Amino acid sequence: MTPNDPTPDAERTRPSTEASYGIPAEETGMLDWEFVAERLRGDRSYWVTTIRPDGRPHARPTWGVWIDGAFHCGGERTRWVRNLAADPSIVVHRGDSEEVVILEGEAERIDRKRVGEELIDRLEAAYRGKYDVGDGTPFFRVRPERVLAWSKFPTDATRWTFEK
C-alpha cells in the first residue's frame, strides 16, 4: 500500500444478490482494499460506461491513473465526455474478468483552475510515466461511491460503500 492509497473510510460488506450465486454471508475471506488499489494502479486500460442524454449506456476503453484513492482519466469533445456533461454517473471496470474491480461513482471535471497546479502536475507525470505521453487537461476524477471486487468468485466477493 502506498501513502496515497490508505484504506478508505467505507463500509466493507458482501455484495447482495440471489442466493444461487453462493456468496458467503460471513466476512472471512473478503478482500482488502489493497487488492483494489493495486489493480487500479497497475492496469494499462479500463472500460468506462457513461449514460447518453437519451438514457442509453455508452461503454468504451480508456487510459487512466489511480492517484489519491481516485481514478483519473482525460479527454475532451468525445462522446463519453459529452455524456458526463449531461450526467456525471460513471462506471469504471478493469479489463480483467477474473480479478474484477468495478468502481461506481460520479466524474468531476478538474483542471488547473479548480484543483491547482500540484495535482494536475502529478496527473500529467503519472500519464507520462505510464503511457509515455501527457494527457492534457481537463481531467475527470472519479471518487468511488461503491466498489465491487473479487478474484475467486464467489468466495472473496467484496463490496465497499462510501458515504457521499
Side-chain angles (χ1 to χ4, degrees), residues 56-118:
R56 293 179 299 138
H58 174 75
R60 70 176 298 271
T62 191
W63 288 350
V65 293
W66 179 257
I67 293 179
D68 297 338
F71 178 77
H72 298 80
C73 52
E76 190 69 85
R77 295 181 306 275
T78 60
R79 167 77 310 188
W80 68 276
V81 170
R82 292 192 314 268
N83 293 346
L84 292 174
D87 184 337
S89 300
I90 190 169
V91 175
V92 179
H93 193 300
R94 297 186 71 221
D96 189 321
S97 63
E98 298 294 320
E99 290 191 338
V100 172
V101 175
I102 305 167
L103 183 152
E104 301 173 359
E106 289 191 356
E108 170 192 13
R109 183 184 176 111
I110 61 173
D111 56 31
R112 291 183 190 282
K113 261 191 221 180
R114 290 190 62 157
V115 298
E117 299 292 323
E118 191 267 337

Side-chain angles (χ1 to χ4, degrees), residues 131-160:
Y131 303 110
D132 201 27
V133 297
D135 187 72
T137 55
F139 283 99
F140 292 86
R141 173 172 45 202
V142 182
R143 289 194 174 112
E145 292 177 7
R146 180 178 19 222
V147 173
L148 298 167
W150 59 83
S151 65
K152 296 178 182 89
F153 190 85
T155 60
D156 64 354
T158 308
R159 173 182 58 204
W160 289 264

Side-chain angles (χ1 to χ4, degrees), residues 11-94:
E11 179 183 17
R12 186 177 73 149
T13 60
R14 293 291 189 169
S16 299
T17 190
E18 63 180 76
S20 68
Y21 280 33
I23 295 174
E26 69 274 356
E27 292 184 7
T28 304
M30 288 194 308
L31 295 169
D32 292 324
W33 184 252
E34 186 173 352
F35 175 88
V36 171
E38 282 180 357
R39 275 135 193 95
L40 290 176
R41 244 190 340 268
D43 285 344
R44 181 161 177 82
S45 57
Y46 311 82
W47 282 92
V48 297
T49 303
T50 57
I51 302 168
R52 294 175 189 262
D54 66 5
R56 293 179 299 138
H58 174 75
R60 70 176 298 271
T62 191
W63 288 350
V65 293
W66 179 257
I67 293 179
D68 297 338
F71 178 77
H72 298 80
C73 52
E76 190 69 85
R77 295 181 306 275
T78 60
R79 167 77 310 188
W80 68 276
V81 170
R82 292 192 314 268
N83 293 346
L84 292 174
D87 184 337
S89 300
I90 190 169
V91 175
V92 179
H93 193 300
R94 297 186 71 221

